[in-house]
Amino acid sequence: RFYHFIRLLYESDARLLKCNRKGKSMIFTKVDALVKDIDVDKYHIETVILSSDDLNKKIIRVKSDHGNEFGIRLDKGQKLQNGSAFFIDDHHVLAIGVESQDLIVISPKDMDEMGITAHILGNTHKPIEVKDAKIYLEVDPVVEQVLTQKEIAYTIEEVVLDKPLRHVNLTAHEH
């Protein structure tokens, strides 16, 4: 099965290569830059809109707003995020955008409420994002019921995430 998967992957790559402009490889293995760091006046920008879940994928095929297909097979340590950019050539860039989605947004009023909320959400094992003193997670009726029962205020907001929601990993160690 593994070899079948590899064969399909290479056949997929071959189909992508046949579709390329000017015979250039259109399989990206690393994020070249972030859109915010590029002088966008110097490039023609093609965009792809992904779900936040797609940002977790290491191998993905995408179709730009111009109808061009690209393959992304990220090297180890590389991650997609909202605004990731790939240089197609000297004049063209593929930019990754993330579609908005409805999320539960919790703005704890103090550290005590933050601790209680973190404990409750930790017990649900839901992926979250903490940013700017707010907690973001996918809409879930069970979580909403628990938050309401514990009298923790929350809102449902349409949000564009820069990075995918993630599970908290207490064993991870980074420098």
Side-chain angles (χ1 to χ4, degrees), residues 4-170:
H4 179 71
F5 172 74
I6 296 299
R7 190 181 96 235
L8 289 175
L9 184 62
Y10 282 114
E11 287 173 1
S12 171
D13 290 353
R15 284 193 302 272
L16 283 171
L17 291 172
K18 289 177 186 174
C19 299
N20 294 337
R21 289 192 288 245
K22 304 175 188 173
K24 294 183 181 181
S25 174
M26 300 305 254
I27 300 167
F28 302 107
T29 58
K30 69 180 184 77
V31 176
D32 293 314
L34 295 176
V35 171
K36 67 180 183 148
D37 299 327
I38 295 175
D39 182 355
V40 293
D41 293 332
K42 292 184 179 180
Y43 296 96
H44 178 79
I45 308 288
E46 293 190 38
T47 57
V48 170
I49 305 298
L50 302 176
S51 72
S52 63
D53 288 339
D54 286 338
L55 296 177
N56 285 319
K57 295 180 179 177
K58 294 293 182 191
I59 300 173
I60 188 170
R61 177 181 284 186
V62 297
K63 193 171 201 175
S64 76
D65 59 337
H66 289 53
N68 296 314
E69 284 192 15
F70 300 93
I72 300 171
R73 187 175 2 155
L74 295 178
D75 291 339
K76 189 173 183 174
Q78 292 280 307
K79 293 184 180 187
L80 288 176
Q81 64 179 317
N82 191 25
S84 292
F86 302 93
F87 293 112
I88 299 169
D89 57 34
D90 293 341
H91 305 288
H92 297 85
V93 170
L94 176 67
I96 303 295
V98 178
E99 64 189 5
S100 63
Q101 65 187 88
D102 285 343
L103 296 175
I104 295 173
V105 180
I106 305 166
S107 301
K109 60 183 178 244
D110 56 31
M111 285 302 291
D112 290 340
E113 187 171 91
M114 175 64 92
I116 291 167
T117 304
H119 179 76
I120 291 167
L121 295 177
N123 285 336
T124 67
H125 301 281
K126 300 289 183 190
I128 65 164
E129 178 67 30
V130 178
K131 183 178 178 184
D132 300 326
K134 294 181 181 181
I135 302 170
Y136 300 87
L137 69 153
E138 290 179 347
V139 174
D140 180 319
V142 174
V143 172
E144 289 184 80
Q145 182 180 5
V146 170
L147 293 173
T148 301
Q149 286 175 349
K150 299 292 183 179
E151 298 180 354
I152 297 172
Y154 68 92
T155 59
I156 306 289
E157 298 178 20
E158 190 171 334
V159 177
V160 175
L161 293 170
D162 291 329
K163 297 177 182 176
L165 296 173
R166 63 189 188 286
H167 292 278
V168 176
N169 184 354
L170 299 176

